[in-house]
Coordinates of all heavy atoms in Angstrom, one line a residue:
F11 N 0.9 -1.2 0.0 CA 0.0 0.0 0.0 C 0.9 1.3 -0.1 O 1.9 1.2 0.6 CB -0.8 0.0 1.2 CG -2.0 -1.1 1.3 CD1 -1.7 -2.3 1.8 CD2 -3.1 -0.8 0.7 CE1 -2.6 -3.2 1.8 CE2 -4.2 -1.8 0.8 CZ -3.9 -3.0 1.3
M12 N 0.4 2.3 -0.7 CA 1.2 3.5 -0.7 C 0.3 4.7 -0.9 O -0.7 4.5 -1.8 CB 2.2 3.5 -1.9 CG 3.1 4.7 -1.9 SD 4.2 4.9 -3.3 CE 3.0 5.1 -4.6
S13 N 0.5 5.8 -0.4 CA -0.2 7.1 -0.6 C 0.7 8.2 -0.5 O 0.2 9.3 -0.1 CB -1.6 7.2 0.3 OG -1.1 7.4 1.7
Q14 N 1.9 8.1 -0.8 CA 2.9 9.2 -0.6 C 2.9 10.0 -2.0 O 4.0 9.9 -2.5 CB 4.2 8.6 -0.2 CG 4.3 7.9 1.0 CD 3.8 8.8 2.2 OE1 4.2 9.9 2.4 NE2 2.9 8.2 3.0
F15 N 1.8 10.5 -2.4 CA 1.7 11.2 -3.5 C 0.6 12.4 -3.3 O -0.1 12.3 -2.4 CB 1.4 10.4 -4.7 CG 0.3 9.4 -4.6 CD1 -1.0 9.7 -4.6 CD2 0.7 8.0 -4.3 CE1 -2.0 8.7 -4.4 CE2 -0.3 7.1 -4.1 CZ -1.6 7.5 -4.1
E16 N 0.5 13.3 -4.2 CA -0.4 14.4 -4.1 C -1.9 13.8 -3.8 O -2.3 13.1 -4.6 CB -0.4 15.4 -5.2 CG -1.2 16.6 -5.1 CD -1.1 17.5 -6.2 OE1 -0.2 17.4 -7.0 OE2 -1.9 18.5 -6.2
S17 N -2.5 14.3 -2.8 CA -3.8 13.9 -2.4 C -4.0 12.5 -1.8 O -5.1 12.1 -1.5 CB -4.9 14.0 -3.7 OG -4.9 15.4 -4.0
G18 N -2.9 11.8 -1.7 CA -3.0 10.4 -1.1 C -3.4 10.6 0.4 O -2.8 11.4 1.0
N19 N -4.3 9.8 0.9 CA -4.7 9.9 2.3 C -4.8 8.6 3.1 O -5.6 8.6 4.0 CB -6.0 10.7 2.3 CG -7.2 9.8 1.7 OD1 -7.0 9.0 1.0 ND2 -8.4 10.2 2.1
L20 N -4.1 7.6 2.7 CA -4.1 6.3 3.5 C -3.2 6.6 4.7 O -2.0 6.9 4.5 CB -3.7 5.2 2.6 CG -3.6 3.8 3.4 CD1 -5.1 3.4 3.8 CD2 -3.0 2.8 2.4
L21 N -3.7 6.4 5.8 CA -2.9 6.4 7.1 C -2.2 5.2 7.5 O -1.0 5.2 7.8 CB -3.8 7.1 8.2 CG -3.1 7.2 9.5 CD1 -2.1 8.5 9.4 CD2 -4.2 7.7 10.6
S22 N -3.1 4.1 7.4 CA -2.4 2.8 7.7 C -3.3 1.6 7.1 O -4.4 1.9 6.7 CB -2.4 2.6 9.3 OG -3.7 2.5 9.8
A23 N -2.5 0.5 6.9 CA -3.2 -0.7 6.4 C -2.7 -1.9 7.2 O -1.5 -2.0 7.4 CB -2.8 -0.9 5.0
Q24 N -3.6 -2.7 7.7 CA -3.3 -3.9 8.6 C -3.9 -5.0 7.9 O -5.2 -5.1 7.7 CB -3.8 -3.6 9.9 CG -3.6 -4.7 10.9 CD -4.0 -4.5 12.4 OE1 -4.5 -3.4 12.6 NE2 -3.8 -5.5 13.2
R25 N -3.1 -6.1 7.8 CA -3.7 -7.3 7.3 C -4.6 -8.0 8.3 O -4.0 -8.3 9.4 CB -2.5 -8.2 6.8 CG -3.0 -9.5 6.1 CD -1.8 -10.2 5.6 NE -2.2 -11.4 4.9 CZ -1.4 -12.2 4.3 NH1 -0.1 -12.0 4.3 NH2 -1.9 -13.2 3.6
V26 N -5.7 -8.5 7.9 CA -6.5 -9.1 8.9 C -7.0 -10.5 8.5 O -7.8 -11.3 9.2 CB -7.8 -8.3 9.3 CG1 -7.4 -7.0 10.1 CG2 -8.6 -8.0 8.2
G27 N -6.5 -10.9 7.2 CA -6.9 -12.1 6.7 C -6.0 -12.4 5.5 O -5.2 -11.5 5.1
P28 N -6.1 -13.6 4.9 CA -5.2 -13.9 3.8 C -5.3 -12.8 2.6 O -4.3 -12.4 2.0 CB -5.7 -15.2 3.3 CG -6.5 -15.8 4.4 CD -7.1 -14.7 5.2
L29 N -6.4 -12.4 2.3 CA -6.7 -11.3 1.2 C -7.5 -10.1 1.7 O -8.1 -9.5 0.9 CB -7.3 -12.0 0.1 CG -6.5 -13.0 -0.7 CD1 -7.3 -13.8 -1.7 CD2 -5.1 -12.6 -1.2
E30 N -7.6 -9.9 3.1 CA -8.4 -8.9 3.6 C -7.6 -7.8 4.4 O -6.6 -8.3 5.2 CB -9.4 -9.5 4.5 CG -10.4 -8.4 5.1 CD -11.5 -9.1 5.9 OE1 -11.5 -10.3 5.9 OE2 -12.4 -8.4 6.3
Y31 N -7.8 -6.6 4.3 CA -7.2 -5.5 5.0 C -7.9 -4.6 5.6 O -9.0 -4.1 5.0 CB -6.2 -4.8 4.0 CG -5.1 -5.8 3.4 CD1 -5.4 -6.5 2.3 CD2 -3.8 -5.8 3.9 CE1 -4.5 -7.4 1.8 CE2 -2.9 -6.7 3.3 CZ -3.2 -7.5 2.4 OH -2.3 -8.2 1.8
D32 N -7.6 -4.0 6.8 CA -8.4 -2.9 7.4 C -7.5 -1.6 7.1 O -6.3 -1.7 7.3 CB -8.4 -3.1 8.9 CG -9.6 -4.0 9.4 OD1 -10.4 -4.4 8.6 OD2 -9.6 -4.4 10.6
L33 N -8.2 -0.7 6.6 CA -7.5 0.5 6.2 C -8.0 1.7 7.0 O -9.2 1.7 7.3 CB -7.8 0.9 4.7 CG -7.5 -0.3 3.7 CD1 -7.9 0.2 2.3 CD2 -6.1 -0.7 3.7
Q34 N -7.1 2.6 7.4 CA -7.6 3.8 8.1 C -7.1 5.0 7.3 O -5.9 5.0 6.9 CB -6.9 3.8 9.5 CG -7.4 5.0 10.3 CD -7.0 5.0 11.8 OE1 -6.2 4.1 12.2 NE2 -7.5 5.9 12.6
L35 N -7.9 5.9 7.1 CA -7.7 7.1 6.3 C -7.4 8.2 7.1 O -7.8 8.4 8.2 CB -8.8 7.4 5.3 CG -9.3 6.2 4.4 CD1 -10.6 6.7 3.6 CD2 -8.3 5.8 3.5
Q36 N -6.5 9.2 6.5 CA -6.4 10.5 7.2 C -7.7 11.3 7.2 O -8.3 11.2 6.0 CB -5.2 11.2 6.5 CG -3.8 10.6 6.8 CD -2.8 11.4 6.0 OE1 -2.9 12.4 5.5 NE2 -1.6 10.8 5.9
V37 N -8.0 12.0 8.1 CA -9.2 12.7 8.0 C -9.1 14.0 7.1 O -8.0 14.5 6.8 CB -9.6 13.3 9.4 CG1 -9.9 12.1 10.4 CG2 -8.6 14.3 10.0
D38 N -10.2 14.4 6.5 CA -10.1 15.5 5.6 C -9.8 16.8 6.4 O -10.2 17.0 7.5 CB -11.5 15.8 5.0 CG -12.0 14.5 4.1 OD1 -11.1 13.7 3.8 OD2 -13.1 14.5 3.8
H39 N -9.0 17.7 5.7 CA -8.7 19.0 6.3 C -9.9 19.8 6.5 O -10.9 19.7 5.8 CB -7.6 19.7 5.3 CG -6.4 19.0 5.3 ND1 -5.4 18.9 6.3 CD2 -5.9 18.2 4.3 CE1 -4.4 18.3 6.0 NE2 -4.6 17.8 4.7
A40 N -9.9 20.6 7.5 CA -11.0 21.6 7.8 C -12.3 20.9 8.2 O -13.4 21.4 7.8 CB -11.1 22.6 6.7
T41 N -12.2 19.7 8.7 CA -13.4 19.0 9.2 C -13.2 18.7 10.7 O -12.1 18.9 11.3 CB -13.6 17.8 8.4 OG1 -12.7 16.8 8.7 CG2 -13.7 18.0 6.9
T42 N -14.2 18.1 11.3 CA -14.1 17.6 12.6 C -13.8 16.2 12.7 O -14.3 15.5 13.5 CB -15.4 18.0 13.4 OG1 -16.4 17.5 12.8 CG2 -15.5 19.5 13.6
G43 N -13.1 15.6 11.7 CA -12.7 14.3 11.8 C -13.5 13.4 10.7 O -13.4 12.3 10.8
H44 N -14.0 14.1 9.7 CA -14.8 13.4 8.7 C -13.8 12.9 7.6 O -12.8 13.6 7.3 CB -15.9 14.2 8.0 CG -16.9 14.6 9.0 ND1 -17.7 13.7 9.6 CD2 -17.2 15.8 9.5 CE1 -18.5 14.3 10.4 NE2 -18.2 15.6 10.3
T45 N -14.1 11.8 7.0 CA -13.4 11.3 5.8 C -14.5 11.0 4.7 O -15.2 10.1 4.9 CB -12.6 10.1 6.1 OG1 -11.7 10.4 7.2 CG2 -11.8 9.7 5.0
Q46 N -14.4 11.6 3.5 CA -15.3 11.4 2.5 C -14.8 10.9 1.2 O -15.5 10.7 0.3 CB -16.1 12.8 2.2 CG -16.8 13.3 3.4 CD -17.7 14.5 3.1 OE1 -18.5 14.4 2.2 NE2 -17.4 15.6 3.7
W47 N -13.5 10.7 1.2 CA -12.8 10.3 -0.1 C -11.6 9.5 0.3 O -11.2 9.4 1.5 CB -12.5 11.5 -1.0 CG -11.6 12.3 -0.4 CD1 -11.8 13.3 0.6 CD2 -10.1 12.3 -0.5 NE1 -10.7 14.0 1.0 CE2 -9.6 13.4 0.3 CE3 -9.2 11.6 -1.2 CZ2 -8.3 13.7 0.5 CZ3 -7.9 11.9 -1.0 CH2 -7.4 12.9 -0.3
Y48 N -11.0 8.7 -0.7 CA -9.7 8.0 -0.6 C -9.0 7.9 -1.8 O -9.6 8.0 -2.9 CB -10.2 6.5 0.0 CG -11.2 5.9 -0.9 CD1 -10.9 5.2 -2.0 CD2 -12.6 6.0 -0.6 CE1 -11.8 4.6 -2.8 CE2 -13.4 5.4 -1.3 CZ -13.1 4.7 -2.4 OH -14.1 4.1 -3.2
F49 N -7.6 7.8 -1.7 CA -6.8 7.8 -2.8 C -5.6 7.2 -2.3 O -4.8 7.8 -1.4 CB -6.6 9.3 -3.3 CG -5.7 9.3 -4.6 CD1 -5.9 8.4 -5.5 CD2 -5.0 10.5 -4.8 CE1 -5.3 8.4 -6.8 CE2 -4.4 10.6 -6.1 CZ -4.5 9.6 -7.0
F50 N -5.3 6.0 -2.7 CA -4.0 5.2 -2.4 C -3.7 4.2 -3.5 O -4.6 3.9 -4.3 CB -4.2 4.5 -1.0 CG -5.4 3.6 -1.0 CD1 -5.2 2.3 -1.3 CD2 -6.6 4.0 -0.5 CE1 -6.3 1.4 -1.1 CE2 -7.6 3.1 -0.4 CZ -7.5 1.8 -0.8
C51 N -2.5 3.6 -3.4 CA -2.1 2.7 -4.4 C -1.9 1.3 -3.7 O -1.4 1.1 -2.7 CB -0.8 3.1 -5.0 SG 0.1 2.0 -6.1
V52 N -2.2 0.2 -4.5 CA -2.0 -1.2 -4.0 C -1.1 -1.9 -5.1 O -1.4 -1.9 -6.2 CB -3.3 -1.9 -3.6 CG1 -3.0 -3.3 -3.3 CG2 -4.2 -1.1 -2.8
S53 N -0.1 -2.5 -4.6 CA 0.8 -3.2 -5.6 C 1.1 -4.7 -5.1 O 0.7 -5.0 -4.0 CB 2.1 -2.4 -5.9 OG 2.8 -2.2 -4.7
N54 N 1.7 -5.4 -5.9 CA 2.1 -6.8 -5.6 C 0.8 -7.7 -5.4 O 0.9 -8.4 -4.3 CB 3.1 -6.8 -4.4 CG 4.4 -6.2 -4.7 OD1 4.8 -6.3 -5.8 ND2 5.0 -5.5 -3.8
T55 N -0.1 -7.5 -6.1 CA -1.3 -8.3 -6.0 C -1.3 -9.5 -7.1 O -0.5 -9.4 -7.9 CB -2.6 -7.5 -6.2 OG1 -2.5 -6.9 -7.5 CG2 -2.8 -6.5 -5.2
Y56 N -2.1 -10.4 -6.9 CA -2.1 -11.6 -7.7 C -3.4 -11.6 -8.7 O -4.5 -11.4 -8.2 CB -2.0 -12.9 -6.9 CG -0.8 -13.1 -6.1 CD1 -0.8 -12.6 -4.7 CD2 0.3 -13.4 -6.7 CE1 0.4 -12.8 -4.1 CE2 1.6 -13.5 -6.0 CZ 1.6 -13.2 -4.7 OH 2.7 -13.3 -4.0
P57 N -3.2 -11.8 -9.9 CA -4.4 -11.9 -10.9 C -5.4 -12.9 -10.4 O -5.0 -14.0 -10.0 CB -3.7 -12.1 -12.2 CG -2.3 -11.9 -12.1 CD -2.0 -12.0 -10.6
G58 N -6.6 -12.6 -10.6 CA -7.7 -13.7 -10.3 C -8.0 -13.7 -8.8 O -9.0 -14.5 -8.4
Q59 N -7.3 -13.1 -8.0 CA -7.7 -13.1 -6.5 C -8.6 -12.0 -6.1 O -8.4 -10.9 -6.8 CB -6.4 -12.9 -5.7 CG -5.4 -14.1 -5.8 CD -6.0 -15.4 -5.2 OE1 -6.7 -15.4 -4.2 NE2 -5.8 -16.5 -5.8
Q60 N -9.5 -12.2 -5.3 CA -10.5 -11.2 -4.9 C -10.0 -10.6 -3.5 O -9.9 -11.4 -2.6 CB -11.9 -11.6 -4.7 CG -12.9 -10.6 -4.5 CD -14.3 -11.0 -4.5 OE1 -14.6 -12.2 -4.8 NE2 -15.2 -10.1 -4.3
Y61 N -9.6 -9.3 -3.3 CA -9.2 -8.7 -2.2 C -10.2 -7.9 -1.5 O -11.2 -7.5 -2.3 CB -8.0 -7.7 -2.4 CG -6.7 -8.4 -3.0 CD1 -6.6 -8.8 -4.3 CD2 -5.7 -8.8 -2.0 CE1 -5.5 -9.5 -4.8 CE2 -4.7 -9.5 -2.6 CZ -4.5 -9.9 -3.8 OH -3.4 -10.5 -4.3
R62 N -10.2 -7.8 -0.2 CA -11.2 -7.0 0.5 C -10.6 -5.9 1.3 O -9.6 -6.3 2.1 CB -12.0 -8.1 1.4 CG -13.1 -7.3 2.2 CD -13.9 -8.2 3.1 NE -14.9 -7.6 3.7 CZ -16.2 -7.7 3.5 NH1 -16.6 -8.4 2.5 NH2 -17.1 -6.9 4.2
F63 N -11.0 -4.7 1.1 CA -10.4 -3.5 1.8 C -11.5 -3.0 2.7 O -12.6 -2.6 2.1 CB -10.0 -2.5 0.9 CG -8.9 -3.1 -0.1 CD1 -9.1 -2.9 -1.4 CD2 -7.7 -3.5 0.4 CE1 -8.1 -3.5 -2.3 CE2 -6.8 -4.1 -0.4 CZ -6.9 -4.0 -1.8
N64 N -11.5 -3.0 4.0 CA -12.4 -2.4 5.0 C -11.9 -1.1 5.4 O -10.8 -0.9 6.1 CB -12.5 -3.3 6.2 CG -12.8 -4.8 5.8 OD1 -13.7 -5.0 5.0 ND2 -12.1 -5.6 6.3
I65 N -12.5 0.0 4.9 CA -12.1 1.3 5.4 C -12.8 1.6 6.7 O -14.0 1.8 6.8 CB -12.5 2.4 4.3 CG1 -11.8 1.9 3.0 CG2 -12.0 3.8 4.8 CD1 -12.1 2.9 1.9
I66 N -12.1 1.4 7.8 CA -12.7 1.4 9.0 C -13.1 2.7 9.7 O -14.0 2.8 10.6 CB -11.7 0.7 10.1 CG1 -10.5 1.3 10.2 CG2 -11.6 -0.8 9.7 CD1 -9.5 0.7 11.3
N67 N -12.5 3.9 9.1 CA -13.0 5.2 9.7 C -13.8 5.9 8.5 O -13.8 7.1 8.5 CB -11.8 6.0 10.2 CG -10.8 6.3 9.2 OD1 -10.6 5.6 8.1 ND2 -10.1 7.4 9.3
F68 N -14.5 5.2 7.7 CA -15.2 5.8 6.6 C -16.7 5.7 6.9 O -17.4 4.9 6.4 CB -14.9 5.1 5.3 CG -15.2 5.8 4.0 CD1 -14.7 7.1 3.8 CD2 -16.0 5.2 3.1 CE1 -14.8 7.7 2.6 CE2 -16.3 5.9 1.9 CZ -15.7 7.1 1.6
A69 N -17.2 6.4 7.9 CA -18.5 6.2 8.5 C -19.3 7.5 8.5 O -19.8 7.9 9.5 CB -18.3 5.7 9.9
K70 N -19.6 8.0 7.3 CA -20.6 9.1 7.2 C -22.0 8.5 7.1 O -22.2 7.6 6.3 CB -20.3 9.8 6.0 CG -21.0 11.2 5.8 CD -20.6 12.0 4.6 CE -21.5 13.2 4.5 NZ -21.1 13.8 3.2
P71 N -22.9 8.9 8.0 CA -24.3 8.3 8.0 C -25.0 8.2 6.7 O -25.7 7.3 6.4 CB -25.0 9.0 9.0 CG -24.0 9.9 9.7 CD -22.9 10.0 8.9
D72 N -24.8 9.3 6.0 CA -25.5 9.4 4.6 C -24.5 9.8 3.5 O -24.0 10.9 3.5 CB -26.6 10.6 4.7 CG -27.5 10.6 3.4 OD1 -27.6 9.5 2.7 OD2 -27.8 11.7 3.0
S73 N -24.2 8.7 2.8 CA -23.3 8.9 1.7 C -23.7 8.3 0.4 O -24.8 7.5 0.4 CB -21.9 8.3 2.0 OG -21.9 6.9 1.9
L74 N -23.1 8.6 -0.7 CA -23.5 8.1 -1.9 C -23.3 6.7 -2.0 O -23.9 5.9 -2.8 CB -22.8 8.7 -3.1 CG -23.1 10.3 -3.2 CD1 -22.2 10.9 -4.3 CD2 -24.6 10.4 -3.6
Y75 N -22.4 6.0 -1.2 CA -22.2 4.6 -1.2 C -23.5 3.9 -0.6 O -23.8 2.8 -1.1 CB -21.0 4.1 -0.4 CG -19.7 4.5 -1.0 CD1 -19.0 5.8 -0.6 CD2 -19.3 3.9 -2.1 CE1 -17.9 6.0 -1.3 CE2 -18.1 4.3 -2.7 CZ -17.4 5.3 -2.3 OH -16.2 5.7 -3.0
T76 N -24.2 4.5 0.2 CA -25.4 3.8 0.7 C -26.5 3.9 -0.3 O -27.6 3.3 -0.2 CB -26.0 4.6 2.0 OG1 -26.3 5.9 1.7 CG2 -25.0 4.5 3.1
R77 N -26.3 4.8 -1.5 CA -27.3 4.8 -2.6 C -26.8 4.2 -3.9 O -27.3 4.4 -4.9 CB -27.5 6.3 -2.8 CG -28.1 7.0 -1.7 CD -28.2 8.5 -2.0 NE -28.5 9.3 -0.8 CZ -28.6 10.6 -0.7 NH1 -28.4 11.3 -1.8 NH2 -28.8 11.1 0.5
G78 N -25.8 3.3 -3.7 CA -25.4 2.4 -4.7 C -24.0 2.8 -5.5 O -23.6 2.1 -6.4
Q79 N -23.4 3.9 -5.1 CA -22.1 4.3 -5.7 C -21.1 3.2 -5.5 O -21.1 2.6 -4.4 CB -21.6 5.6 -5.1 CG -20.3 6.1 -5.7 CD -19.8 7.4 -5.1 OE1 -20.7 8.3 -4.8 NE2 -18.6 7.6 -5.2
Q80 N -20.3 3.0 -6.4 CA -19.2 1.9 -6.4 C -17.9 2.7 -6.4 O -17.7 3.8 -6.9 CB -19.3 1.1 -7.5 CG -20.6 0.3 -7.6 CD -20.7 -0.7 -6.5 OE1 -19.8 -1.5 -6.3 NE2 -21.7 -0.8 -5.8
P81 N -16.8 2.1 -5.8 CA -15.5 2.6 -5.8 C -14.9 2.6 -7.2 O -15.2 1.8 -8.1 CB -14.7 1.8 -4.9 CG -15.5 0.7 -4.5 CD -16.9 0.8 -5.0
L82 N -14.0 3.5 -7.5 CA -13.3 3.5 -8.7 C -12.0 3.1 -8.6 O -11.2 3.3 -7.6 CB -13.2 5.0 -9.3 CG -12.3 5.1 -10.6 CD1 -13.1 4.6 -11.8 CD2 -12.2 6.7 -10.7
F83 N -11.5 2.1 -9.4 CA -10.1 1.6 -9.3 C -9.5 1.5 -10.8 O -10.1 1.6 -11.8 CB -10.1 0.2 -8.7 CG -10.8 -0.8 -9.5 CD1 -10.0 -1.6 -10.4 CD2 -12.1 -1.1 -9.3 CE1 -10.6 -2.6 -11.1 CE2 -12.7 -2.1 -10.1 CZ -12.0 -2.9 -10.9
F84 N -8.1 1.7 -10.8 CA -7.4 1.7 -12.0 C -6.4 0.6 -12.0 O -5.6 0.5 -10.9 CB -6.8 3.1 -12.2 CG -6.0 3.1 -13.4 CD1 -6.5 3.3 -14.6 CD2 -4.5 3.1 -13.2 CE1 -5.6 3.4 -15.8 CE2 -3.7 3.2 -14.4 CZ -4.3 3.3 -15.6
S85 N -6.3 -0.1 -13.0 CA -5.3 -1.1 -13.1 C -4.2 -0.7 -14.3 O -4.5 -0.6 -15.4 CB -5.8 -2.5 -13.6 OG -4.8 -3.4 -13.9
L86 N -3.0 -0.5 -13.8 CA -1.9 -0.2 -14.7 C -1.8 -1.3 -15.8 O -1.6 -1.0 -17.0 CB -0.7 0.2 -14.1 CG 0.6 0.7 -14.8 CD1 0.1 2.0 -15.5 CD2 1.7 0.9 -13.9
L87 N -1.7 -2.5 -15.3 CA -1.6 -3.7 -16.2 C -2.7 -3.8 -17.3 O -2.5 -3.9 -18.4 CB -1.4 -5.0 -15.5 CG -1.3 -6.2 -16.2 CD1 0.1 -6.1 -17.0 CD2 -1.2 -7.4 -15.3
A88 N -3.9 -3.6 -16.9 CA -5.1 -3.7 -17.7 C -5.1 -2.6 -18.7 O -5.6 -2.7 -19.8 CB -6.4 -3.7 -16.9
S89 N -4.5 -1.4 -18.4 CA -4.6 -0.2 -19.2 C -3.7 -0.4 -20.3 O -3.8 0.4 -21.4 CB -4.3 1.0 -18.5 OG -3.0 1.0 -18.1
K90 N -2.7 -1.2 -20.2 CA -1.7 -1.5 -21.3 C -2.1 -2.5 -22.3 O -1.5 -2.7 -23.3 CB -0.3 -1.9 -20.6 CG 0.3 -0.9 -19.8 CD 1.6 -1.3 -19.3 CE 2.3 -0.2 -18.4 NZ 3.5 -0.6 -17.8
K91 N -3.3 -3.1 -22.1 CA -3.8 -4.2 -23.0 C -4.6 -3.5 -24.1 O -5.2 -2.5 -24.0 CB -4.6 -5.2 -22.3 CG -3.8 -6.1 -21.4 CD -4.6 -7.1 -20.7 CE -3.8 -7.9 -19.8 NZ -4.5 -8.9 -19.1

């Protein structure tokens, strides 16, 4: 995991299962501790494996995710095909 780039906000990642990780995000600036977005990089993954990322401090009571929004991800390998 990495977020040492502009707008990266991953504070920590802890492995909790073979392919499962608990992630904690840095809180948004100028808020009282809210986190409404995420931006980080994951590498050294295996094709065909399903990974689970639990963002443990992403708890806004009413968000677009409760209305069906899905996360956006980008694969460098897939983009070269």
Side-chain angles (χ1 to χ4, degrees):
F11 291 90
M12 184 189 68
S13 68
Q14 301 302 315
F15 44 81
E16 186 175 352
S17 298
N19 68 337
L20 181 64
L21 183 63
S22 67
Q24 181 178 0
R25 187 176 182 179
V26 295
L29 299 172
E30 184 175 359
Y31 298 85
D32 280 351
L33 310 179
Q34 186 172 7
L35 305 175
Q36 295 177 5
V37 297
D38 295 345
H39 294 284
T41 70
T42 57
H44 299 295
T45 304
Q46 298 186 56
W47 60 278
Y48 49 88
F49 189 31
F50 57 89
C51 174
V52 179
S53 59
N54 297 323
T55 59
Y56 297 100
Q59 295 292 324
Q60 186 172 1
Y61 293 84
R62 181 179 181 105
F63 303 120
N64 307 308
I65 302 177
I66 58 176
N67 64 333
F68 201 57
K70 188 177 175 186
D72 183 32
S73 77
L74 294 176
Y75 290 103
T76 62
R77 299 178 193 175
Q79 179 177 331
Q80 296 291 310
L82 174 67
F83 66 92
F84 174 77
S85 168
L86 187 58
L87 182 62
S89 73
K90 293 181 180 179
K91 293 181 180 181

